[in-house]
Amino acid sequence: MRYTKLKVLFLVIGLLLIGVVGNTYAVTVPSEVSGLYNTGVDNDESVLTAGTQDQHYTITSYPSNYTTPPSATVMSPHPNYYSPTEEDKAAWIGPTSSPTNEPPGDYTYTIKFNLTGYDPESATITGDWAIDNWGEIYLNGNLITSRGSETENKQFGSLESFIIDSNFVSGINTLEFVVHNYGNSSSPTGLLVANLTLTANPVPLPGAIWLLGSGVLGISIISIRGLKRKNREYKSDFLLV
């Protein structure tokens, strides 16, 4: 009887430990933890006013026409641009607050986010974007998706959904939106990224595992001692009879 109880006890212990190690599930990683934000918002995800420099995106490449590096700036969108709703929690950004006459060429908007404490193999990003004129999304240098082409340059009138479920790395990740401003002369350009959501499985903390293991081990020792004591009492009662 006592051996059966021991087997059950150790089975429960094993299941508990497996649960701690293996019970990881996807959770939404808050922006304040990851650093991943929609365009045109502050750290509280409130939409910024036009003319304000974006707090999270930087323009890391741009046409050579600029005498000084442009900054990603919340802009007053062109009348033909998609107008973000309150639910989008985002605003258009561009090289100036009113980028209606910007040099043609390629603009790369970059944001970095942190996956420390999360399993990169389980990470997924979903979101929506609009661009003028067309462009691509890259994660850590890997092409993820594109929207439009040189002959289809009206991607600024509506949002299009995208999903990223590969090419993540541990720690710092780099997300890039490359926007091509079409033509041979200056024209409007901009980027809108909305409804970004990052999910990933938390990595179990080794300390927590050891803490649970120590507690379970203590319970096991106490239970085994109790079984031994009951066994001795049983033998004593048997001899007295």
Side-chain angles (χ1 to χ4, degrees):
M1 183 70 173
R2 64 178 183 276
Y3 294 111
T4 301
K5 290 183 178 180
L6 283 174
K7 287 180 181 179
V8 172
L9 177 61
F10 283 115
L11 177 61
V12 172
I13 294 171
L15 291 175
L16 285 173
L17 290 175
I18 291 172
V20 173
V21 176
N23 187 24
T24 55
Y25 49 91
V27 298
T28 299
V29 185
S31 295
E32 60 267 24
V33 174
S34 67
L36 185 65
Y37 288 86
N38 296 334
T39 53
V41 300
D42 61 17
N43 290 334
D44 295 323
E45 300 183 324
S46 298
V47 177
L48 298 169
T49 57
T52 306
Q53 183 173 334
D54 191 284
Q55 299 180 7
H56 310 106
Y57 289 79
T58 57
I59 300 178
T60 52
S61 68
Y62 46 87
S64 59
N65 306 60
Y66 289 93
T67 55
T68 58
S71 299
T73 305
V74 179
M75 55 185 276
S76 300
H78 190 278
N80 293 333
Y81 283 4
Y82 170 82
S83 181
T85 67
E86 186 175 341
E87 289 74 20
D88 291 327
K89 294 184 178 180
W92 282 87
I93 59 174
T96 63
S97 60
S98 182
T100 56
N101 293 289
E102 301 306 312
D106 301 338
Y107 297 79
T108 301
Y109 296 82
T110 301
I111 184 171
K112 294 181 181 294
F113 61 96
N114 196 345
L115 275 178
T116 299
Y118 296 88
D119 176 16
E121 294 294 328
S122 68
T124 299
I125 290 176
T126 57
D128 304 306
W129 67 323
I131 48 176
D132 184 10
N133 292 109
W134 78 94
E136 300 86 34
I137 300 176
Y138 291 84
L139 177 62
N140 298 318
N142 299 285
L143 175 63
I144 301 301
T145 189
S146 61
R147 184 177 185 189
S149 67
E150 185 174 339
T151 58
E152 299 174 346
N153 54 11
K154 293 185 178 180
Q155 287 65 241
F156 45 77
S158 63
L159 287 176
E160 181 174 275
S161 298
F162 65 87
I163 183 170
I164 307 174
D165 56 9
S166 61
N167 298 303
F168 293 91
V169 298
S170 299
I172 302 299
N173 289 253
T174 301
L175 183 61
E176 295 173 309
F177 296 85
V178 180
V179 177
H180 307 289
N181 192 21
Y182 176 72
N184 297 317
S185 59
S186 297
S187 61
T189 186
L191 169 70
L192 174 66
V193 182
N195 306 310
L196 279 180
T197 300
L198 170 62
T199 60
N201 293 350
V203 176
L205 298 176
I209 296 173
W210 283 110
L211 182 62
L212 177 62
S214 299
V216 173
L217 179 61
I219 295 173
S220 304
I221 294 173
I222 294 173
S223 299
I224 292 172
R225 287 177 176 174
L227 287 172
K228 288 182 177 180
R229 183 172 60 254
K230 288 183 178 180
N231 186 45
R232 288 196 298 268
E233 292 173 354
Y234 173 78
K235 288 182 176 179
S236 298
D237 293 341
F238 179 77
L239 291 174
L240 289 174
V241 175

